Amino acid sequence: MDNPAATLHCPNYRCQAANPPVNKFCQNCRTPLKRRYLWALGSGIEADQPESLIANRYVLVKERIVLDTKPATPPDTPQEIPEELLPYLRLSPYRLHIPQVYGRLTGGERRQDSEIWLLEDAPILETDTAGSQGELFPPLRTVWQEATAIRQLNWLWQIANLWQPLSSEGVGTSLLNLDWLRPEGSILHLLQLQRDKPAAPTLKQLGQCWSQLQPDASSVINKFFGQLCDQLTQGKIRTAEQLVGLLDQGIKDCGQGQSRHYQIFTGTDSGPVRRHNEDACYPPIGQLWSRSTDENALAIVCDGIGGHEGGEVASGLAINVLREQVERLHFDRDHWNPTHLTLKLEQAVCTANDAISQQNDSEHRSERQRMGTTLVMAQTSAHEIYITHVGDSRVYWITRQGCHQITQDDDLASREVRLGYTFYRYAVQQPTSGSLIQALGMASSTTLHPTTQRFILDEDSVFLLCSDGLSDHDRVEQYWQTEILPILDGQRDVPTAADHLIEIANRQNGHDNVTLALVYCQVKASADTAPTELAPPHPESLPLPTISEMPTVAAIVPSQQKTQPLTRPKRRPWGLLLAIVVLLVVGAGMAYLLLPRRWIQGFVSQSSNSDPSVSVSVTPSPTASPTSSPERTSSVENLTLMRVTRSTVTNAQGQDVPLLLRLQPPEENTSPIRLVPRGSVLQVINQSSGSSEEDWLKLRVCSAGTEIAETQGVQTAVEGSADATPESSTQSDAKRRRNIYPLVEPGDRGWIKVANIRSNFDFNFNPTLEQKGVCATAPESEALTPSLSSP
């Protein structure tokens, strides 16, 4: 950096000493000097000159790229959040691909009425070579031709996985701008987000966009990719989930042309302050674990909660249960099913959670005596790695190009950001920002939401799993280049890197136990097994989901209420709760007699997050916020009319899949299934008893919606395609698979899980006669047995 005015301040918040711009380490404390480059949104920055210092802090490196010279100082983060920035916050779980709002830029020579926002995690190359500070990564179209077949499919696969989340936030158009898609090795980044105007994009448009890349695709996938684009533009691929499945098959075939070798090393230390080490890890510490492609690798890090003889017991128990559960899984390449494997991994986490929770109960532990643990786990399978986490332990993905945090902490700060309440750089300054909202062992697994992600391995990588004893104060971001990157260059072995990181954690942090696992993956081409040309994609060959794999609302979907911190578990005051239940039931009965019917239709019964076995009736005010928490089980009055506001639910992989109505009782696994479009109006006929999230509502379709842009599976209906009409029972199985699901029709009756209506329905709306449809004239006597909440 040639600008002498751009003094770099140490990123260590304890130091923050000023340094000449040519320094790589702080001249005071020897902390590596972080160069945080940011992307500027908004108008007005054009008035500033390159190399100028703005607001006595930011250096304009080049057009719209600025360098923060004071990374340890919190940026300007106002309380009022502009509407156009909300998608960035709500999509924060996808920060590996989508930049996040850093803060507001003030000062400079631009007009006073302009507003400029800065984005971090943008696709900007941090280099120290002369004349190339803060270069944008080249666009996708520039590097596409030189990429391998599996790398090209990997990029497309990432776009397909982002399609539904971005579309649901009204920014799906961003994925159609090839100049905004910027690869960093195998990882695909978006430069910024663009609002969908005038309408949401369709899969047909995505196929047309991809067609621009098809001529320069690798010869191995050229024909496959061309047919894939044709099927998109012709409406034969009807959902993003189908598209992901077809790309999965192509990547699996290409992955056979590569071999992978894994090295794993774990380490732990109680630290200079703590007397006891409550952490645990797997494989056992002190031994380098090495495996080839055909042997799946497993690494686990747990950070115990609950003090001596509490946290260490919980973390050790979690390790033992998870090892046992994962060893039972079958990783068969010929019968590979990523959805099934993801569900099994999350079920293993729930089993570990219940083992700890049951031991807490058996030992009569309550309040702060209850023990628990965080979890991060990495499981490899062929060409993929699955990352599962609960709590605030983290996983970082290090390649030769960069270091990225790929888990999002289960704490209050991250939750507030996902809800769109505040900016992250403001949230972490609050006293309770690090309070956990979930951990293993604190309650039954019915309230636990583990997150599992999967990534394609097509380049040498290191995955760092660590407790917050290392990750606190951005130590990984500061030291990855000096301590982890040498592994990829063959300049340092894995055990030495682990020892150095533990030493840094104790010296630079030192307030907690520190535990880590390094998973080093080496990828090599294998010409003997490489495919010469992929088979054509066949949407009809994709298996339909089984009943056990039906989607539920995943943890990645944020609650619509501010979450209370997981400070300490509470005793269950059964007597008090019973009294509350009685009072509320009596109150609900009086309200039923005294309040207008339209208010009664908005009544919901919400079960406590701390104890799902207790259900209490809550009567919301007619002026209450319509954004009630989706993490609370709902039970509604018979004959209640409700409108579908979102035609998808999010599965355990963070993917949005269609909202489905089963036409037969839940116990019949062969039940026909139909798709429920957004805008449909349904009427509650009956609800099964109890408060479990496995309960079902029996519903009647009053009118079928037409606003179905959220569900790519029926987007051709928006375009007027004849293929979008509901299928008859006489159509072939192949045709049924191509269309996946027919649409609901007025008069249809069926079942939807209570858990899946959480954030998908609006109970407080005034339906028109047309919206009431077949329910407008139906006599109330048609209703079945009254629900438990009826007076």
Side-chain angles (χ1 to χ4, degrees), residues 29-343:
C29 68
R30 302 304 297 168
T31 297
L33 294 177
K34 180 173 179 58
R35 286 166 170 80
R36 179 176 286 150
Y37 292 99
L38 307 165
W39 180 252
L41 286 177
S43 61
I45 198 170
E46 299 84 358
D48 294 289
Q49 297 300 315
E51 299 298 322
S52 61
L53 188 64
I54 307 173
N56 197 33
R57 174 171 182 169
Y58 302 102
V59 175
L60 181 61
V61 177
K62 51 192 62 177
E63 184 181 3
R64 294 199 173 276
I65 298 177
V66 300
L67 172 68
D68 186 2
T69 64
K70 300 178 180 179
T73 302
D76 178 27
T77 50
Q79 292 299 293
E80 186 174 350
I81 301 175
E83 183 72 22
E84 62 270 18
L85 295 183
L86 287 177
Y88 290 96
L89 275 60
R90 292 171 179 160
L91 292 169
S92 60
Y94 303 92
R95 63 178 300 168
L96 179 64
H97 310 286
I98 300 169
Q100 294 301 296
V101 179
Y102 182 67
R104 183 173 58 182
L105 180 61
T106 57
E109 300 178 3
R110 61 194 178 280
R111 298 187 308 273
Q112 293 299 317
D113 59 347
S114 63
E115 196 166 45
I116 296 176
W117 297 91
L118 301 175
L119 302 181
E120 59 181 323
D121 299 322
I124 301 174
L125 178 64
E126 299 180 5
T127 61
D128 295 325
T129 56
S132 60
Q133 305 96 343
E135 295 280 356
L136 281 174
F137 285 102
L140 177 63
R141 64 170 79 245
T142 302
V143 298
W144 173 263
Q145 187 173 7
E146 303 303 323
T148 62
I150 192 171
R151 176 69 58 81
Q152 291 177 343
L153 289 180
N154 189 3
W155 288 335
L156 300 176
W157 180 81
Q158 292 173 60
I159 295 173
N161 276 289
L162 289 170
W163 182 258
Q164 182 56 44
L166 267 66
S167 297
S168 65
E169 290 296 332
V171 291
T173 302
S174 311
L175 296 171
L176 303 181
N177 190 330
L178 296 180
D179 291 329
W180 285 4
L181 295 169
R182 304 271 174 156
E184 177 191 338
S186 62
I187 303 172
L188 192 66
H189 301 283
L190 264 169
L191 184 58
Q192 62 187 64
L193 299 177
Q194 177 181 346
R195 283 287 188 178
D196 296 338
K197 294 181 180 180
T202 64
L203 286 178
K204 177 179 179 180
Q205 291 173 292
L206 182 63
Q208 294 168 344
C209 175
W210 283 4
S211 297
Q212 303 174 49
L213 301 172
Q214 190 270 332
D216 294 324
S218 166
S219 59
V220 177
I221 69 166
N222 191 283
K223 185 176 180 180
F224 171 91
F225 186 29
Q227 293 173 323
L228 193 72
C229 292
D230 291 341
Q231 291 170 355
L232 283 168
T233 55
Q234 295 169 12
K236 295 181 179 179
I237 299 176
R238 302 171 59 84
T239 68
E241 189 177 35
Q242 273 187 294
L243 180 58
V244 170
L246 294 172
L247 289 168
D248 267 329
Q249 292 293 337
I251 292 173
K252 173 191 171 185
D253 294 340
C254 284
Q256 296 178 3
Q258 292 181 336
S259 63
R260 282 156 291 277
H261 184 267
Y262 303 100
Q263 294 182 33
I264 302 179
F265 190 84
T266 60
T268 187
D269 193 274
S270 60
V273 177
R274 297 293 181 92
R275 297 178 56 188
H276 304 286
N277 193 341
E278 300 177 54
D279 297 355
C281 55
Y282 178 82
I285 61 174
Q287 180 178 357
L288 182 64
W289 191 90
S290 182
R291 288 292 187 271
S292 65
T293 300
D294 296 332
E295 298 176 284
N296 299 294
L298 174 65
I300 310 173
V301 166
C302 291
D303 183 354
I305 303 169
H308 182 46
E309 296 183 351
E312 60 191 67
V313 173
S315 59
L317 182 56
I319 294 287
N320 293 334
V321 173
L322 287 168
R323 282 184 55 196
E324 179 182 353
Q325 293 292 315
V326 172
E327 286 174 358
R328 296 177 180 177
L329 301 181
H330 298 288
F331 301 92
D332 188 350
R333 178 187 292 270
D334 295 331
H335 300 89
W336 161 81
N337 186 326
T339 300
H340 177 76
L341 180 54
T342 297
L343 292 174

